[in-house]
Amino acid sequence: MTTDHETASVRAAFEKHFGTTPDVVAYSPGRVNLLGEHTDYNGGFVLPMALRGLGVSIALGKGDKPGVIEAYSDTFDQTEVRMITDSREGRWSDYLLGCLKAVAEAEVASTGLRVALETTLPMGAGLSSSAALEVVSIKAALALYGREMNAVDVAIKARAVENDFVGMPCGIMDQFASSVGDPGVAMFLNTRTLAYELVETSPDYAFVIIASGVSHQLTEGGEDGYATRVAECQAACKALSIDMISDLGVGDLARIEDLPSPLDRRVRHVVTDNQRVLEGVVALREGNMLRFGDLMVDSHRSQKDDYQITVAETDALVDACLSYGALGARQTGGGWGGSVVALVEAGGVESFSQKVLADFAKTSILAVT
């Protein structure tokens, strides 16, 4: 539910920038992923949590230039002007443009559009700012032109924009968490069937989200690292004569060992992280946060050793979090930097955070949930 608090600032920004009142304002949250990394595009299980107070706000108003989109972003402090007929150009406005083309191309072609965007999600933190932007853009455009779409279909449409227009071969976890999730509540999602369940976490513990200071890069030093992992998983499926890695379970680990390197390690990570999600959901239901913390640690090690998507800075930060008393910690997000999420006793969050900030000068505490 969007509140006035979440949209007051973007409403004011729209009025200041365009000299008129917006017709529609909307907000969508970012997400942190607690368990299940790079499993979503493999049809697996994930356990994200939509975030309180970190997300993307948008204000829309019909323009006076048919087909013209004037989009202001506070992140870049600039306005980009696009035509609804434009193709992808590698600009931040591609995300917005793709969403508008997906749900309101004819309407924007007729009326034109003015847009203001504000975000409280730091760029490169691995908390799904792009997915939140996609979801909020679709929701606002539908509202502006008097159309309806349920939250699951919004997520599906947003994921299609990122895959087909922006060109990132991501899974649906981020868009689903932003569109369907309840901030502060874990979501157990089967990305193959889209069956989901909200799972409460223990009020005696908190998840602390820490920006590592290393902007997450899905391009692995200029190469398409994320896309490379997707391609590796597809190659493994072909070698194993399966449709998706989610066809496999831990009982297939011996079979996986016969794959050539690095495909064996890639598949092992996906299969074992799927299992960790299943066990993590059980741990949350039983209030066994010690077990959940152990699963977080195992997941990070798998990301580091088998999927090879961590960096030295996030590895060091995870180790430090555990030495400061966290029950568990892991890199969260697409990889190669970004944020770490740590599981901490609620009463110890302040002292834990002080230790992190004192010893890691580039870090910042983004959220406690």
Side-chain angles (χ1 to χ4, degrees), residues 46 65 89 155 300:
V46 290
K65 303 171 186 174
E89 296 179 0
H300 182 82

Side-chain angles (χ1 to χ4, degrees), residues 7 10-15 18 21-26 57-61 70 72 113-118 136 140:
T7 56
V10 76
R11 184 187 296 274
F14 185 99
E15 293 173 352
F18 295 111
T21 301
D23 298 312
V24 169
V25 293
S57 301
I58 194 169
L60 299 183
E70 300 172 83
Y72 169 76
L113 199 64
R114 297 184 177 115
V115 183
L117 288 160
E118 289 195 341
V136 79

Side-chain angles (χ1 to χ4, degrees), residues 224-237:
D224 290 337
Y226 191 103
T228 297
R229 293 298 178 272
V230 174
E232 288 169 340
C233 290
Q234 291 171 341
C237 288

Side-chain angles (χ1 to χ4, degrees), residues 295-366:
L295 291 165
M296 293 175 69
V297 173
D298 290 345
S299 179
H300 182 82
R301 289 173 180 158
S302 184
Q303 290 184 83
K304 176 178 181 290
D305 298 332
D306 282 345
Y307 224 65
Q308 296 180 294
I309 58 171
T310 70
V311 295
E313 292 86 348
T314 54
D315 293 336
L317 184 53
V318 165
D319 289 342
C321 287
L322 298 174
S323 72
Y324 301 152
L327 279 70
R330 64 186 292 274
Q331 180 182 276
T332 183
W336 296 284
S339 295
V340 163
V341 56
L343 176 60
V344 181
E345 289 188 20
V349 168
E350 184 174 353
S351 61
F352 170 84
S353 300
Q354 289 174 351
K355 291 175 183 177
V356 170
L357 297 175
D359 291 348
F360 290 84
K362 293 183 179 180
T363 64
S364 58
I365 305 300
L366 298 179

